[in-house]
Amino acid sequence: MQTPGSILLHLDGSARTVERIKLARQLAETFDAEVTARPCTLSALMRYPYAIEGAAEAVAIMQEIDKAARDKMHATFMANTAGSQRLHWAEPESDGPWGFARRALYADLMILGQRDRDDPMDGELPGDFLPSVLVQSGRPALVLPYAGPIGPIGRNVLVAWKETREAARAVTAALPWLRTAARVHVVTYGEDAEGALQRLQEYLRAQGVANATLHPGGNKEDDAGNKLLSFAADLSADLLVMGCYGHSRAREWVMGGTTLSILQWMTLPVLMSH
């Protein structure tokens, strides 16, 4: 994969939006990329549908709530992008979160945030916003955790390898970081772990990544999510690369066990692809 030239940045009213903007600015400068920052939340009427049954005054209040939220996001964006010519504000889509995945089809990379159920703004988005965007768009995404500082990423990378198309896509998306990383670690679980690691190492060498350290994780794949996060902490990794596994069931996005664990408990930025 070439370095990402177009990045789609998700903005909302959460406290971590500033961290996502700062990372987008770093990546824009590192990769000489253009960033489109797009607000994406549920409208007040979507969150409080019964208001539409009230007087026109109630609807007008909902519209004012939306405008105030948008103005706040715009002010936050402008305050953190002063002097940059590579980050651009885009107006929200009329269909809210459902339009974001469609816009992601025209980006090389998305920057998203982990859901924080304790954030007062958590209700701005559907509970399955993050997994649905990942699955619907098929685009790689950098997902930032909702807690902890976010420093430069990609110096010490942990790749969670599995012989699947999702993991292969994630590794391809991660190549711009893997080629310049000081340390690259690769771990896999399950049968033939060592064989799978050797095959991936050959691929990485052909892509200019010659310093990968291989870690067979054993034959058991159970509780892989917690194992990965614990291993990432032991290595002081600043980026985890992995496939995202899930499907839609009656309009509900169902994630695989490892993916679900990572999305719930991540402690470092994660580059994911479906």
Side-chain angles (χ1 to χ4, degrees):
M1 176 184 175
Q2 296 180 347
T3 56
S6 58
I7 299 173
L8 181 62
L9 168 64
H10 174 238
L11 302 180
D12 57 23
S14 69
R16 297 291 279 184
T17 288
V18 171
E19 295 297 331
R20 296 200 295 275
I21 296 173
K22 290 179 179 179
L23 177 62
R25 184 167 183 168
Q26 291 175 14
L27 296 184
E29 295 170 355
T30 299
F31 295 133
D32 197 22
E34 297 294 320
V35 176
T36 299
R38 188 171 294 276
C40 181
T41 60
L42 291 169
S43 68
L45 282 174
M46 291 177 181
R47 283 178 281 160
Y48 310 106
Y50 292 110
I52 201 170
E53 298 177 2
E57 181 179 353
V59 175
I61 292 174
M62 296 294 102
Q63 292 172 338
E64 285 298 317
I65 291 175
D66 289 338
K67 183 179 183 302
R70 176 204 168 280
D71 290 346
K72 181 180 178 181
M73 283 184 272
H74 185 260
T76 299
F77 174 78
M78 296 302 294
N80 289 277
T81 59
S84 174
Q85 302 298 317
R86 295 195 170 277
L87 280 80
H88 314 284
W89 170 270
E91 291 299 321
E93 291 287 329
S94 59
D95 52 352
W98 296 275
F100 194 86
R102 184 176 66 252
R103 288 293 180 177
L105 298 175
Y106 303 96
D108 297 321
L109 178 71
M110 297 181 288
I111 298 179
L112 307 173
Q114 178 194 22
R115 182 182 182 188
D116 180 6
R117 289 175 173 81
D118 294 327
D119 191 294
M121 298 294 104
D122 180 57
E124 285 187 333
L125 291 168
D128 65 349
F129 172 74
L130 176 54
S132 67
V133 167
L134 285 165
V135 174
Q136 286 182 327
S137 71
R139 290 306 206 187
L142 266 173
V143 185
L144 304 192
Y146 64 69
I150 305 297
I153 66 171
R155 296 176 178 175
N156 186 9
V157 184
L158 173 61
V159 177
W161 177 241
K162 191 174 183 179
E163 290 187 319
T164 63
R165 66 174 189 177
E166 292 86 353
R169 289 173 176 173
V171 168
T172 300
L175 286 175
W177 288 274
L178 297 177
R179 289 179 179 132
T180 59
R183 293 182 296 278
V184 175
H185 299 270
V186 185
V187 63
T188 191
Y189 304 96
E191 297 182 4
D192 193 28
E194 293 190 10
L197 289 175
Q198 291 293 335
R199 288 186 286 273
L200 180 62
Q201 186 178 52
E202 292 174 6
Y203 169 78
L204 291 176
R205 284 174 176 166
Q207 299 298 322
V209 183
N211 61 338
T213 303
L214 308 183
H215 302 273
N219 293 331
K220 295 183 179 180
E221 297 185 48
D222 57 304
D223 200 27
N226 288 326
K227 289 178 181 177
L228 282 172
L229 292 176
S230 178
F231 193 38
D234 291 342
L235 295 172
S236 298
D238 56 39
L239 178 64
L240 173 62
V241 178
M242 62 176 288
C244 170
Y245 307 94
H247 63 276
S248 176
R249 183 182 66 191
R251 297 177 63 186
E252 176 185 2
W253 290 103
V254 181
M255 294 290 101
T258 301
T259 302
L260 182 61
S261 294
I262 297 297
L263 290 178
Q264 289 181 335
W265 307 114
M266 66 173 62
T267 52
L268 74 167
V270 181
L271 179 62
M272 310 184 88
S273 185
H274 178 66

